[in-house]
Amino acid sequence: MKILSLNASFGKLNQDALELSGGLNVITLPNEAGKSTWSQFILAMFYGIDTSERAKAGTLPAKTKFKPWSGAPMQGSMDLEWNGRRITIERTSTGRGLMNNFRAYETESGLPVAELTAENCGKTLLGVERSVFERSAFIRQAGLAVTQDSALEQRLQALVTTGDEGASFSEAERVLKDRKNYLGRARTGQLDHLQQELEQVQTQLQELEELGQSIYTLHKTRQKLEADQQDLQHGLSLARAHEAAAKLQQLTLAEQRANDSHQALQDMQQACAELPDEATLAVLEQQLDALPQPPSPPGEVPAAPQLPEALQNMDEAQIRKTVADDLASLDTLSDVKKPSLLLKILSCLFSIGGIAAVFFNLPLGLGLVAIGQFLLQLGLHQSRKAKAANTQQARMREEILQKYHAADRDEIVQLSERCCAELALHARQMDQYAAALQTHEQAQRDYEAACSAILTQVRIFRPVSALSEVRPALRDAKAAYEALRRAEAEHRQADQSYVNLKSALGDLPAPDPTLLLQPVTRNRAELERDLENNARQLLQLRSQMDQLSGRRSAIGNPDTLAARQEALLEQCEATRLHVQALDIAMTALTEANREVQTRISPAMAKKAGEYFAELTGGRYDKVQLDADFSAFARLSGESVHQSLSYLSAGTSDQLYLSVRLAICALALDEERGAPLILDDALAFFDDQRCRTALNLLNKISEQRQVLLFTCQNRESMLLK
């Protein structure tokens, strides 16, 4: 078989194409250019997409990892040669499926290839199942190591036995282990289930015995509670009889209070019938409150002003006239006469002139002196006369000032003004006093009239003689109405209490006299509470007994459970023997598998050793393989095999590649020509190792197509 071309919408590939040829194909692509994607696409075209695959630690399932980045459906086609025919395989996605729509047809004619289906395509073309192909011819750089797989094991066993691939040690071992686990696994095995059921049956039998004992104990407790219930009911009957008698007495007293309150109400109604209504009383009280205080007299008569003796008993006009006359006289007396100065001057002049004339002997000298003396005498006479007149006037002036007890004219004027002002003020005060006296007399008449009106209205229902008796009379009247309302309220309350009590008590039957003769030792509330507790305990007790009885019925018949216990004991013993037999069978199977492995491992180790010797240039000459495909290598000329932990990374990859190629040579039929796919499998090889590996792959490509995906140009250059 040979792959010719690929076309993919897969992961980062968007309808990308890849042309291939027979032999060794080196596809050089940079990192993240799609090498692993092309490899996975080829696997998907052969075997489809496993939609049940789930994400593992650090690894995404193919359905998620290779979902087209472009958003287009996951799909692709593959052209190949198979059994001399050129065919095309197509896988497309429909609905929620991934590459679930399969089609295989002849490339040129378009006729369908009936023997190829979506399920068997890979196994029909390559001759092996997917797990075998992935562990042999599908080599990733991070997946050179080989893991165990039952299909691969069956395939390899067929090489050293009869060729039947239907038998597998791991499959048989798995069946035996599953059977042993089914029977003997802790907590989930059948034996554990049988033992659990046996323990459950034994527990049920023990529980039935305990339930019987508990039911018997509860039955004895119920008998005691029922006896206590009878005693409590008798005590309650006594308490109820005495309580009924007390209630009858209470009802009688309530009826008596209702009758007494009715009589008191009638008495108050009769007492208030003679009184005016409360509105009238309120009006009278308002009138009494509005009544002013008795008017006070206006006070004493204003006192007359104290006037000087000279002005007493005069009014303001008389005072003004008298003072004006005295002031006029005073002004006249104030003009004091003085001696004539001219006479003195003339007298002096004539005297001086006469003396001068005499001195000079003039004839007129003496005459002038005589005239001067005459004038001097005349002046002296006038001076004496003026002095006498002035003395008289001064006396008269002093009399006038003394009359008013004043020192000068201004004081007389001020005294006059003051006296006139006091007289005017006194006159006004007298007018005000007269008006106040008139107002007082009118207020006194009004007050007496208001008092008389109030007394007249009050005397209608209460004899009063003075205003001071009115307020107590009104207060007594209001108190009577208050007492009437209280009597009404008390009557209503007493009557309602009687009605309520009668309604609450209902028809009280006459208590049994014989019960009244017996003393009551406990009150009714305690008896009812104890009786209620007793009933509740009985109810709980019956409920517990019902539950226990129901539980006992639900558990089942003791005889049936005992029979089941015996059967389970037998089944447990048989299952233990079965588990022991499985252990013996697994031991025998392991021994048989060891013999088979002694035949498989040499064939594979020989082939892997040949490849490894060629890859290492004869440095290593032998390889050993364990049952789990763990590999060991031996240096040429040495006797000890080295594990992978002692080898370099490049040598380890060479060893694993040798094992892989050996598996391909043994597990994959060369006639079918299943392609060998390597994804960066030579990345850790140096140039010499890479050249040797390419030479080996060239040889292998003569029998099967080899696809080598790499991110380096080294492989192409070495091939050239």
Side-chain angles (χ1 to χ4, degrees):
M1 191 200 74
K2 181 173 62 176
I3 301 173
L4 301 177
S5 64
L6 302 169
N7 188 285
S9 290
F10 193 81
K12 72 170 296 177
L13 304 176
N14 183 17
Q15 297 183 355
D16 291 358
L18 182 63
E19 299 294 332
L20 301 173
S21 62
L24 177 58
N25 291 264
V26 178
I27 301 98
T28 304
L29 296 172
N31 287 330
E32 298 187 358
K35 300 185 301 299
S36 299
T37 305
W38 278 118
S39 301
Q40 192 69 33
F41 172 72
I42 295 172
L43 188 65
M45 289 303 297
F46 283 130
Y47 295 101
I49 294 293
D50 184 7
T51 56
S52 64
E53 185 181 6
R54 295 292 180 265
K56 300 177 182 178
T59 304
L60 291 174
K63 63 181 180 181
T64 303
K65 183 176 181 180
F66 297 103
K67 186 176 181 181
W69 296 1
S70 63
M74 184 183 291
Q75 60 187 9
S77 64
M78 174 190 292
D79 291 343
L80 50 85
E81 287 183 1
W82 177 60
N83 293 337
R85 302 161 64 186
R86 181 166 179 168
I87 64 174
T88 299
I89 299 172
E90 292 180 354
R91 286 185 185 267
T92 57
S93 302
T94 58
R96 295 187 178 180
L98 296 177
M99 301 183 78
N100 57 337
N101 190 13
F102 177 84
R103 182 179 176 221
Y105 58 90
E106 294 183 359
T107 306
E108 295 179 355
S109 65
L111 295 175
V113 180
E115 57 266 44
L116 295 180
T117 64
E119 291 75 18
N120 70 359
C121 177
K123 188 171 184 180
T124 301
L125 293 175
L126 305 178
V128 292
E129 296 179 353
R130 179 186 186 126
S131 61
V132 177
F133 183 72
E134 285 189 291
R135 286 167 174 79
S136 57
F138 192 74
I139 305 174
R140 304 179 182 90
Q141 182 233 328
L144 285 172
V146 185
T147 57
Q148 277 189 319
D149 178 69
S150 61
L152 179 58
E153 180 188 348
Q154 293 173 4
R155 182 71 176 170
L156 294 175
Q157 286 179 358
L159 301 175
V160 295
T161 56
T162 61
D164 181 13
E165 296 185 24
S168 168
F169 162 75
S170 59
E171 186 67 22
E173 185 184 34
R174 184 186 60 79
V175 172
L176 290 175
K177 284 184 177 179
D178 290 346
R179 182 61 180 172
K180 180 182 177 182
N181 290 334
Y182 171 74
L183 294 175
R185 179 182 293 167
R187 295 188 299 276
T188 59
Q190 186 179 22
L191 179 60
D192 191 86
H193 290 165
L194 290 172
Q195 291 175 343
Q196 290 179 2
E197 186 179 358
L198 178 60
E199 292 176 0
Q200 183 179 3
V201 170
Q202 292 173 343
T203 302
Q204 289 174 339
L205 287 171
Q206 183 179 359
E207 188 176 359
L208 282 175
E209 183 178 355
E210 293 174 354
L211 287 173
Q213 183 64 34
S214 299
I215 291 174
Y216 176 77
T217 303
L218 292 176
H219 177 72
K220 299 297 291 182
T221 304
R222 185 180 67 177
Q223 289 180 341
K224 182 180 181 306
L225 288 174
E226 289 174 348
D228 293 342
Q229 188 180 50
Q230 291 180 357
D231 294 340
L232 290 171
Q233 288 176 346
H234 177 70
L236 183 61
S237 298
L238 287 177
R240 286 175 176 171
H242 284 270
E243 185 177 346
K247 288 180 178 179
L248 286 174
Q249 183 179 4
Q250 183 181 4
L251 185 62
T252 302
L253 292 175
E255 184 179 12
Q256 183 62 40
R257 284 196 295 271
N259 294 334
D260 293 344
S261 64
H262 181 68
Q263 182 61 44
L265 176 61
Q266 289 180 340
D267 294 342
M268 290 305 304
Q269 288 175 342
Q270 184 176 2
C272 293
E274 300 176 356
L275 298 175
D277 55 34
E278 289 185 283
T280 303
L281 292 176
V283 171
L284 286 173
E285 190 172 19
Q286 291 175 358
Q287 291 177 354
L288 185 61
D289 293 338
L291 189 67
Q293 293 294 331
S296 300
E300 298 180 355
V301 179
Q306 295 296 326
L307 298 178
E309 182 179 358
L311 301 178
Q312 289 183 359
N313 300 324
M314 293 184 184
D315 57 15
E316 184 179 355
Q318 293 173 341
I319 289 173
R320 289 185 181 279
K321 183 177 183 307
T322 300
V323 170
D325 293 343
D326 290 338
L327 288 175
S329 300
L330 186 61
D331 290 340
T332 303
L333 295 175
S334 297
D335 296 336
V336 180
K337 294 182 178 180
K338 297 181 179 181
S340 177
L341 183 58
L342 180 59
L343 291 177
K344 290 181 178 182
I345 294 172
L346 291 175
S347 173
C348 289
L349 289 175
F350 278 106
S351 296
I352 293 170
I355 294 172
V358 172
F359 183 74
F360 289 104
N361 295 312
L362 294 176
L364 296 177
L366 292 176
L368 292 172
V369 171
I371 293 170
Q373 287 298 317
F374 174 77
L375 291 174
L376 179 60
Q377 289 299 321
L378 181 61
L380 290 173
H381 174 73
Q382 289 180 350
S383 295
R384 285 193 296 272
K385 186 177 179 181
K387 184 176 180 180
N390 288 337
T391 300
Q392 180 63 30
Q393 289 180 357
R395 185 180 58 76
M396 293 177 63
R397 182 174 178 275
E398 185 64 25
E399 289 177 356
I400 294 173
L401 291 175
Q402 187 64 34
K403 177 181 178 181
Y404 294 102
H405 302 284
D408 53 22
R409 184 180 188 280
D410 292 337
E411 287 187 6
I412 295 174
V413 173
Q414 291 176 0
L415 177 63
S416 172
E417 293 298 330
R418 181 175 61 80
C419 291
C420 290
E422 290 178 355
L423 286 175
L425 176 61
H426 180 258
R428 288 193 299 272
Q429 289 176 346
M430 289 300 295
D431 292 341
Q432 291 174 357
Y433 177 77
L437 183 61
Q438 184 178 3
T439 301
H440 167 70
E441 292 174 353
Q442 182 62 39
Q444 185 67 28
R445 288 192 296 271
D446 294 341
Y447 174 74
E448 291 174 355
C451 292
S452 177
I454 292 174
L455 289 171
T456 300
Q457 295 183 67
V458 173
R459 285 170 182 156
I460 295 175
F461 62 90
R462 178 69 60 85
V464 292
S465 58
L467 191 64
S468 59
E469 300 175 1
V470 171
R471 194 173 295 278
L474 294 177
R475 188 164 47 248
D476 293 343
K478 289 175 65 178
Y481 277 109
E482 290 292 335
L484 175 62
R485 281 192 290 273
R486 285 195 300 273
E488 290 174 346
E490 290 174 358
H491 174 64
R492 283 195 303 270
Q493 183 177 3
D495 190 61
Q496 188 64 40
S497 298
Y498 171 71
V499 172
N500 292 341
L501 184 61
K502 186 175 182 181
S503 176
L505 297 178
D507 296 332
L508 293 173
D512 188 354
T514 58
L515 294 176
L516 296 177
L517 296 176
Q518 300 179 35
V520 177
T521 58
R522 300 177 64 188
N523 61 48
R524 177 180 175 180
E526 292 179 353
L527 289 168
E528 287 180 343
R529 184 175 61 253
D530 292 346
L531 191 60
E532 183 180 356
N533 291 334
N534 179 275
R536 184 166 54 254
Q537 292 176 7
L538 276 173
L539 182 62
Q540 293 175 353
L541 191 64
R542 293 190 183 100
S543 176
Q544 292 177 3
M545 293 180 68
D546 292 341
Q547 290 177 1
L548 294 178
S549 300
R551 175 62 181 162
R552 184 170 61 179
S553 300
I555 292 174
N557 189 286
D559 297 334
T560 303
L561 290 174
R564 179 59 180 164
Q565 183 181 21
E566 293 297 327
L568 287 172
L569 288 171
E570 295 177 0
Q571 291 179 15
C572 286
E573 183 63 23
T575 303
R576 275 192 291 270
L577 294 175
H578 195 168
V579 172
Q580 292 176 3
L582 288 173
D583 287 335
I584 295 172
M586 289 177 64
T587 302
L589 182 63
T590 302
E591 292 296 329
N593 179 67
R594 187 176 296 110
E595 294 181 7
V596 174
Q597 290 296 330
T598 58
R599 289 180 285 172
I600 294 176
S601 295
M604 283 192 62
K606 180 180 178 182
K607 192 66 177 177
E610 294 174 357
Y611 285 139
F612 193 42
E614 185 173 353
L615 287 174
T616 59
R619 178 175 173 79
Y620 291 86
D621 61 356
K622 193 173 182 180
V623 172
Q624 280 187 349
L625 293 175
D626 286 347
D628 60 353
F629 298 104
S630 298
F632 298 84
R634 187 184 70 180
L635 283 168
S636 299
E638 294 187 1
S639 59
V640 179
H641 289 77
Q642 301 290 338
S643 66
L644 288 177
S645 59
Y646 293 96
L647 302 179
S648 65
T651 305
S652 298
D653 284 352
Q654 285 180 313
L655 179 56
Y656 273 130
L657 180 59
S658 301
V659 175
R660 283 286 197 140
L661 295 176
I663 293 174
C664 286
L666 296 176
L668 300 182
D669 190 353
E670 290 184 358
E671 294 182 358
R672 293 181 182 271
L676 176 62
I677 302 173
L678 300 96
D679 180 13
D680 269 340
L682 309 181
F684 294 136
F685 289 19
D686 57 27
D687 292 345
Q688 181 59 37
R689 290 175 179 176
C690 183
R691 180 182 293 109
T692 305
L694 289 173
N695 291 333
L696 179 58
L697 293 177
N698 253 329
K699 293 179 182 180
I700 295 174
S701 67
E702 295 175 359
Q703 284 79 34
R704 66 178 76 248
Q705 186 181 28
V706 178
L707 306 181
L708 174 60
F709 292 93
T710 177
C711 62
Q712 303 178 22
N713 293 321
R714 180 182 61 171
E715 286 81 352
S716 299
M717 294 175 61
L718 290 174
L719 285 175
K720 292 179 182 179

